Amino acid sequence: ENDNEDTSSPFRLGNMYSSGKIVSKDDTEAFKWYKLAAERGHALATNIVGLCYEEGDGVPKNDQEAVKWYAKAIEYGNITFGAYNLGRMYYYGKGVPQDYARAFELFTQANGAGNSVGHSAQIPVRHFSPPRPAFRNSRSESNDRLPNRPESAG
């Protein structure tokens, strides 16, 4: 990550607008500042820009753009989050063709990053299996192995 003033100042402004602390919460303004920091090489901001595109926070949803920014996050050194999030995109086929093998490679890369947050990416690797239809009954919800797995249309 490039921590010089050119990347960290816009990143901090993005955090301020995103959290609503010090200034009024404004997702569009937060996205603008995160993207500026990301374009200047800030690795964490690059991953956040991907999340914004994926979730539609401050910018219209666009899975292809999310994939692009997650890949840049890995390139800029944010391997734990970038590889995990890019792996999710391949796992679910969001913005890219569904590819479980590529997803597994990315989850493994995220785990191997040696980061203190790496444990959050271990869940999919330990329990890696392709999604299967979720069955529901009146007494319980299905237990998904990955967060936010889409329901099957069946």
Side-chain angles (χ1 to χ4, degrees):
E1 178 178 330
N2 183 356
D3 280 329
N4 69 32
E5 195 63 28
D6 290 338
T7 64
S8 60
S9 292
F11 179 75
R12 279 188 238 127
L13 281 167
N15 282 340
M16 285 183 214
Y17 281 106
S18 179
S19 69
K21 295 180 180 174
I22 301 173
V23 296
S24 296
K25 183 172 173 51
D26 184 334
D27 289 338
T28 303
E29 195 67 18
F31 174 79
K32 177 180 101 175
W33 291 108
Y34 284 137
K35 189 169 183 194
L36 178 62
E39 288 169 342
R40 293 180 178 178
H42 194 285
L44 184 55
T46 305
N47 186 69
I48 291 170
V49 168
L51 286 169
C52 290
Y53 276 116
E54 183 182 358
E55 298 171 3
D57 288 340
V59 66
K61 285 181 99 166
N62 185 326
D63 287 341
Q64 290 82 14
E65 280 294 308
V67 165
K68 177 178 107 176
W69 287 97
Y70 292 147
K72 280 188 182 188
I74 297 168
E75 177 185 326
Y76 292 163
N78 189 343
I79 296 168
T80 299
F81 291 121
Y84 176 72
N85 287 323
L86 187 56
R88 284 187 311 96
M89 302 303 275
Y90 276 98
Y91 188 84
Y92 297 120
K94 292 176 65 180
V96 292
Q98 193 169 43
D99 184 339
Y100 299 129
R102 180 70 178 129
F104 184 79
E105 290 171 9
L106 288 159
F107 291 149
T108 302
Q109 184 180 6
N111 283 333
N115 239 315
S116 61
V117 294
H119 68 278
S120 66
Q122 288 176 1
I123 294 167
V125 174
R126 284 198 315 252
H127 302 288
F128 188 82
S129 64
R132 58 184 187 270
F135 297 98
R136 296 179 188 269
N137 63 40
S138 60
R139 295 188 330 196
S140 67
E141 298 289 321
S142 69
N143 290 324
D144 291 340
R145 293 182 181 217
L146 283 175
N148 303 319
R149 181 168 65 213
E151 296 299 318
S152 77

